[in-house]
Amino acid sequence: MRLFIAIKFNAQVINDLVKLQAELKDCGAEGNFTRPENLHLTLAFIGEYGNPYDVLEVMETVPFKPIPLRFECLQHFRDMYFARIEHTPELESYVRRLRRVLSENGIPFDRKKFSPHITLIRKVSFRDGILEKVPENINVKETVAAAVSLMHSERGKRGMIYTEIGGIDGD
């Protein structure tokens, strides 16, 4: 079972991110746009793991308090565009504690440096070879991460399908 731990967003933030995707399309961006229901912030990518309930048990041992999140800018990296989240010490501290406890309990995860972002487009290309004008202000409302979710990822006919298995609400 392919798993990851993430923060899901409320309808207003999803709507703002979808508008940002539309702005990128208007500027000439083409590619695999992340479907609205799949927009999230990954905290730890676990990958293939047999028992998701073991992961949930470990998650429950790491206290989570709601964390305010601000969207900082739009970034292009390799063949992706994403919305970057502003430096947030509380979020970074939570992710360090979460990853330490996963490691201590033998749950494997991708150990890449945590870089808080929401992927908007993968395999991006540009009409006429260039992006006409990148939106300067991303206009995504500040939000509060109120919960952390354990997600299951599987390939469907129209791309990836993410299903929440369980989660931890903030205190």
Side-chain angles (χ1 to χ4, degrees):
M1 185 174 274
R2 190 175 155 105
L3 304 173
F4 64 95
I5 299 170
I7 291 174
K8 295 172 32 176
F9 297 107
N10 63 38
Q12 179 63 57
V13 171
I14 297 295
N15 188 48
D16 289 348
L17 291 168
V18 168
K19 285 179 185 175
L20 183 56
Q21 288 176 317
E23 287 181 55
L24 286 165
K25 283 180 188 174
D26 291 345
C27 293
E30 299 173 338
N32 296 337
F33 286 79
T34 303
R35 296 190 343 238
E37 63 272 20
N38 287 351
L39 292 165
H40 67 277
L41 169 60
T42 300
L43 305 180
F45 179 77
I46 296 167
E48 292 297 328
Y49 193 77
N51 188 347
Y53 300 101
D54 289 347
V55 179
L56 272 174
E57 267 185 46
V58 169
M59 288 172 61
E60 288 172 356
T61 68
V62 183
F64 179 77
K65 294 185 185 297
I67 301 170
L69 300 176
R70 287 193 182 137
F71 291 82
E72 183 174 43
C73 64
L74 184 63
Q75 275 198 298
H76 180 219
F77 179 71
R78 294 188 180 152
D79 68 344
M80 296 185 299
Y81 259 99
F82 54 88
R84 193 169 78 199
I85 292 180
E86 192 175 272
H87 171 70
T88 311
E90 301 89 350
L91 177 63
E92 293 166 12
S93 173
Y94 175 76
V95 170
R96 273 192 308 276
R97 288 182 286 123
L98 174 66
R99 289 176 172 199
R100 183 178 60 242
V101 170
L102 289 171
S103 182
E104 289 169 354
N105 284 276
I107 297 171
F109 60 92
D110 185 341
R111 294 182 182 266
K112 282 185 207 147
K113 182 179 187 252
F114 178 63
S115 176
H117 67 278
I118 294 82
T119 302
L120 301 172
I121 315 170
R122 285 183 175 82
K123 297 183 181 174
V124 70
S125 62
F126 309 106
R127 283 191 301 266
D128 305 321
I130 59 166
L131 190 63
E132 291 174 18
K133 184 179 179 188
V134 176
E136 289 182 26
N137 298 317
I138 65 170
N139 297 319
V140 180
K141 295 206 177 17
E142 181 177 338
T143 190
V144 173
V148 177
S149 301
L150 178 62
M151 305 295 293
H152 172 233
S153 168
E154 61 187 328
R155 189 163 302 282
K157 290 180 184 176
R158 291 185 41 226
M160 298 308 290
I161 299 168
Y162 300 152
T163 307
E164 183 175 16
I165 294 172
I168 309 298
D169 289 333
D171 296 334

